[in-house]
Amino acid sequence: MAPSAAAQRIVIENCAIATVDAQDTEYASGHVVIADNRIESIGAGRAPEGLTNVVRRIDATGHLVTPGLVNTHHHFYQWITRGLATDHNLFNWLVALYPTWARIDEQMVYSAAQGSLAMMARGGVTTAMDHHYVFPHGSGDLSGAIIKAASEMGVRFTLARGSMDRSVKDGGLPPDFAVETLEGALAGTEETVKKHHDASFDAMTQVAVAPCSPFSVSTELLRQGAELARRLGVRMHTHGSETVEEEQFCKELFGMGPTDYFESTGWLGEDVWMAHCVHMNDSDIEAFARTKTGVAHCPSSNARLAAGIARVPDMLAAGVPVGLGVDGTASNESGELHTELRNALLINRLGAHREAALNARQALRLGTYGGAQVLGRADQIGSLEAGKLADLVLWKLDTLAHASIADPVTALVFGAAAPVTASFVNGRQIVEDNRLLTADEDAIARSTRDEAQRLARIAAQG
């Protein structure tokens, strides 16, 4: 759709640009023109002459402009349980924290969502997602609280409405009081999709169906969840192949590995993406490639929980869509996605492919276009192209931290975390000079501290 004659324009000039389009087009000095919420033009040199309704011109000398970062896996509520169980593997970490998480309420979840979103947004994330699967009885409208926080922050957002119905009594990990019934989980998920999902091109809020994991969800919830998602026309998300313990769990309980189990329940397909996928053999990767199932790669969380190194280079070579994820901030306390560009590159170079595993531009693609693919929005976001939505970031690269690195993409990925001078979502600026324009960071810090302390007190009372 072409911009209207009355479209208001923002012109950004004199910047390096990495478009992350299909040809990896880059400009050493170029321009971007935003018209309302779309990218109108992009190219080398100054913007075209004669533009009308220009409301702002930005001299972006010393900056790199990229697509906004796209986060493909997170658990916002964990912001208020950071720094706990720091020396545990995944299963022991979950057992340690589930009893605390099962005491969350609407105010805690809203505050935690604000903290998670604020940290990502000020670091260049323009599209966020949250996989929320803990719904204690009587805790309030948790999905509504998360969506409200995202709307107020001004980020594009996917809520993966999670669920758990396999508790300790059924051989799962969550305590019995922390899960929903099969019927309650399906009904709650359907209600959330119908109330909040927007399928339009420039949607700010979308919803996915997202049972938590093989060790916290019944086979029937997976099967019926897949049927529900496809009936409603929304995407599907879960955790998969994260640890060797999970693989052993699946083989003991279901007689097959995680990928085969997921395929048997309808959970492979181009409308599906899974978090982690660390322990994948050649057959698993082939199945993901054949079905175009996506992967949310979470390098820092995988390292923090000693899960292992995902075979990202092999996935990419096979044609598997791969994006980046922060994961919950109880297993990635920084809560930032732009640092995952560097961590993805470095950690994958510790694997079998060594220095050939990933390069700077592949890492940037994971965090932008790859994430858009995984969320099913590659036609709208993830690269800087005329007609796409105006989600983009200006990274400041002329300070001490980066100025001596000649290549701006290398500076962004290999260097220290770069300051964000401006971040635009849907054509609206939400960050300026590394500070949020849409929220009070200091107030959020106080609120998250208070809610973390309140949750700790409640959990201590049993």
mmCIF file of all heavy atoms in Angstrom, residues 27 48 197 226 275 320 351 359 378 392 422 458:
data_model
loop_
_atom_site.group_PDB
_atom_site.id
_atom_site.type_symbol
_atom_site.label_atom_id
_atom_site.label_comp_id
_atom_site.label_asym_id
_atom_site.label_seq_id
_atom_site.Cartn_x
_atom_site.Cartn_y
_atom_site.Cartn_z
ATOM 1 N N TYR A 27 24.600 -0.033 2.693
ATOM 2 C CA TYR A 27 25.023 1.280 2.205
ATOM 3 C C TYR A 27 25.993 1.883 3.214
ATOM 4 O O TYR A 27 25.695 1.928 4.409
ATOM 5 C CB TYR A 27 23.824 2.208 2.029
ATOM 6 C CG TYR A 27 22.763 1.660 1.096
ATOM 7 C CD1 TYR A 27 21.587 1.112 1.600
ATOM 8 C CD2 TYR A 27 22.950 1.678 -0.279
ATOM 9 C CE1 TYR A 27 20.618 0.603 0.752
ATOM 10 C CE2 TYR A 27 21.987 1.170 -1.150
ATOM 11 C CZ TYR A 27 20.823 0.630 -0.619
ATOM 12 O OH TYR A 27 19.868 0.118 -1.466
ATOM 13 N N PRO A 48 15.572 11.563 -1.469
ATOM 14 C CA PRO A 48 15.121 12.263 -2.677
ATOM 15 C C PRO A 48 14.670 13.691 -2.374
ATOM 16 O O PRO A 48 14.157 13.979 -1.290
ATOM 17 C CB PRO A 48 13.940 11.406 -3.158
ATOM 18 C CG PRO A 48 14.150 10.066 -2.529
ATOM 19 C CD PRO A 48 14.831 10.306 -1.231
ATOM 20 N N HIS A 197 -6.005 -11.478 19.414
ATOM 21 C CA HIS A 197 -5.205 -11.691 18.209
ATOM 22 C C HIS A 197 -5.645 -10.781 17.072
ATOM 23 O O HIS A 197 -6.838 -10.677 16.758
ATOM 24 C CB HIS A 197 -5.290 -13.142 17.744
ATOM 25 C CG HIS A 197 -4.480 -13.428 16.521
ATOM 26 N ND1 HIS A 197 -3.107 -13.432 16.521
ATOM 27 C CD2 HIS A 197 -4.851 -13.696 15.226
ATOM 28 C CE1 HIS A 197 -2.658 -13.703 15.308
ATOM 29 N NE2 HIS A 197 -3.699 -13.865 14.507
ATOM 30 N N ALA A 226 -2.818 -28.171 19.053
ATOM 31 C CA ALA A 226 -2.505 -28.028 17.633
ATOM 32 C C ALA A 226 -3.774 -27.882 16.806
ATOM 33 O O ALA A 226 -3.853 -27.044 15.892
ATOM 34 C CB ALA A 226 -1.692 -29.231 17.155
ATOM 35 N N ALA A 275 11.439 -23.400 21.125
ATOM 36 C CA ALA A 275 12.566 -22.784 21.817
ATOM 37 C C ALA A 275 13.653 -23.811 22.085
ATOM 38 O O ALA A 275 13.373 -24.962 22.421
ATOM 39 C CB ALA A 275 12.095 -22.179 23.135
ATOM 40 N N VAL A 320 16.428 -24.543 7.989
ATOM 41 C CA VAL A 320 15.533 -24.356 9.134
ATOM 42 C C VAL A 320 15.466 -22.862 9.471
ATOM 43 O O VAL A 320 16.503 -22.221 9.609
ATOM 44 C CB VAL A 320 16.034 -25.147 10.360
ATOM 45 C CG1 VAL A 320 15.144 -24.884 11.577
ATOM 46 C CG2 VAL A 320 16.085 -26.641 10.053
ATOM 47 N N GLY A 351 31.534 -24.791 18.977
ATOM 48 C CA GLY A 351 31.054 -26.075 18.494
ATOM 49 C C GLY A 351 31.907 -26.634 17.370
ATOM 50 O O GLY A 351 33.018 -26.174 17.095
ATOM 51 N N ASN A 359 29.097 -15.789 11.121
ATOM 52 C CA ASN A 359 29.796 -14.519 10.997
ATOM 53 C C ASN A 359 28.879 -13.394 11.472
ATOM 54 O O ASN A 359 27.723 -13.629 11.860
ATOM 55 C CB ASN A 359 30.293 -14.291 9.570
ATOM 56 C CG ASN A 359 29.170 -14.250 8.553
ATOM 57 O OD1 ASN A 359 28.095 -13.708 8.798
ATOM 58 N ND2 ASN A 359 29.410 -14.823 7.376
ATOM 59 N N ALA A 378 7.665 -12.292 8.238
ATOM 60 C CA ALA A 378 8.792 -11.865 7.396
ATOM 61 C C ALA A 378 8.357 -10.961 6.252
ATOM 62 O O ALA A 378 9.181 -10.234 5.694
ATOM 63 C CB ALA A 378 9.528 -13.090 6.843
ATOM 64 N N LEU A 392 12.741 0.081 13.059
ATOM 65 C CA LEU A 392 14.175 0.182 12.792
ATOM 66 C C LEU A 392 14.897 0.857 13.959
ATOM 67 O O LEU A 392 14.263 1.492 14.817
ATOM 68 C CB LEU A 392 14.429 0.945 11.489
ATOM 69 C CG LEU A 392 13.773 2.318 11.321
ATOM 70 C CD1 LEU A 392 14.669 3.405 11.829
ATOM 71 C CD2 LEU A 392 13.443 2.548 9.856
ATOM 72 N N ALA A 422 18.080 5.956 18.635
ATOM 73 C CA ALA A 422 16.642 6.024 18.346
ATOM 74 C C ALA A 422 16.150 4.652 17.925
ATOM 75 O O ALA A 422 16.850 3.909 17.237
ATOM 76 C CB ALA A 422 16.354 7.041 17.251
ATOM 77 N N ILE A 458 5.709 -14.051 49.981
ATOM 78 C CA ILE A 458 4.594 -14.991 49.845
ATOM 79 C C ILE A 458 5.097 -16.421 49.675
ATOM 80 O O ILE A 458 4.589 -17.356 50.296
ATOM 81 C CB ILE A 458 3.710 -14.583 48.649
ATOM 82 C CG1 ILE A 458 3.009 -13.240 48.924
ATOM 83 C CG2 ILE A 458 2.676 -15.664 48.327
ATOM 84 C CD1 ILE A 458 2.284 -12.672 47.735
#
